[in-house]
Amino acid sequence: MIRVLLADDQTLVRAAFAMLVGSDPDMEVVGEAATGLEAVALARSARADLVVMDIRMPELDGIEATRRIAADEDLAGVKVLVLTTYDTDEHVVEALRAGASGFLVKDTRPADLLAAIKTVAAGEALLSPGPTARLIARVLSAPRTPTASGGPEVLSDRERQVLGLVARGLNNTEIAETLGLSPLTAKTHVSRIMGRLGARDRAQLVIIAYESGLVVVAGGGADGN
């Protein structure tokens, strides 16, 4: 059972999401927050597994709320799925840098939202398709200071290959098929890479791959080196 916390300042939106999430036998709504501060507090007290977080909220916006959740050791297992009104919202990139595991636009089909919650809860990264993928690639392609754990240079050649495929959105099964590995070996590689780079989840691996230049933007899209 996935314990979901809904964070949105619009009562009707929360109610609609609550009905949708409650209709899935694998999920339950354990709290609703109208502000970013409430979201952070409820993530802890309600023992949520995943927070569906609106970016624009009063008192504390969704980006800072996500950052506080990601930085709290007691909430290490809590995933954040960010929702935004527009698929060209550059705040989405900052939300991913803050620790969000993925995002969707609010006009996503109900079935896709439920699938997204399950994907993120399972530890996969989720980046909304379409123009936003190109937005993320463009913004993240600007190099930034490496983390204390280092960048892809600390990885083996095989691990760099795997990281590049993760950044292109491939799941473990697809990575295994591409590289001629077993799914379990691919999963082991991803887990080891996360540990070496100090990444919270696969979304953070995507960020590291772009910002380090391992994956570059070419012709409006992203290509692996």
Side-chain angles (χ1 to χ4, degrees):
M1 184 68 70
I2 303 172
R3 298 173 60 82
V4 181
L5 169 63
L6 303 173
D8 195 297
D9 64 335
Q10 299 181 47
T11 303
L12 289 179
V13 171
R14 292 200 311 274
F17 285 164
M19 290 182 60
L20 176 61
V21 172
S23 70
D24 191 300
D26 297 325
M27 305 178 193
E28 65 174 328
V29 177
V30 295
E32 297 184 28
T35 72
L37 287 177
E38 288 182 1
V40 175
L42 283 174
R44 182 181 295 104
S45 64
R47 295 183 293 111
D49 297 315
L50 180 143
V51 182
V52 177
M53 182 84 74
D54 186 23
I55 285 184
R56 294 176 173 83
M57 288 190 295
E59 294 185 9
L60 192 70
D61 64 35
I63 296 174
E64 182 58 30
T66 297
R67 183 174 291 109
R68 294 188 186 186
I69 290 173
D72 191 328
E73 293 183 358
D74 292 335
L75 301 177
V78 179
K79 306 294 185 182
V80 177
L81 174 62
V82 169
L83 291 180
T84 180
T85 305
Y86 306 105
D87 67 357
T88 55
D89 189 345
E90 297 202 15
H91 292 321
V92 164
V93 176
E94 290 307 312
L96 292 173
R97 283 178 173 145
S101 296
F103 76 94
L104 286 175
V105 291
K106 280 190 174 181
D107 61 358
T108 296
R109 295 181 304 173
D112 290 340
L113 175 60
L114 294 178
I117 291 174
K118 292 179 180 179
T119 296
V120 172
E124 298 286 340
L126 183 77
L127 305 181
S128 186
T132 313
R134 293 190 291 275
L135 164 72
I136 289 175
R138 175 171 58 80
V139 175
L140 292 182
S141 64
R144 289 164 65 96
T145 303
T147 64
S149 300
E153 66 275 1
V154 305
L155 305 177
S156 67
D157 289 342
R158 173 63 85 187
E159 289 168 343
R160 286 167 60 87
Q161 284 183 307
V162 172
L163 176 57
L165 295 176
V166 169
R168 287 166 51 191
L170 276 64
N171 59 34
N172 291 341
T173 299
E174 293 167 336
I175 291 172
E177 293 174 350
T178 300
L179 298 179
L181 307 172
S182 71
L184 178 59
T185 298
K187 180 179 180 180
T188 299
H189 276 308
V190 173
S191 297
R192 185 178 296 122
I193 292 167
M194 288 174 59
R196 290 191 176 182
L197 298 181
R200 176 182 171 91
D201 54 25
R202 293 173 78 105
Q204 298 299 296
L205 292 182
V206 173
I207 291 172
I208 292 170
Y210 276 112
E211 293 185 337
S212 67
L214 179 66
V215 177
V216 299
V217 182
D223 293 324
N225 285 341

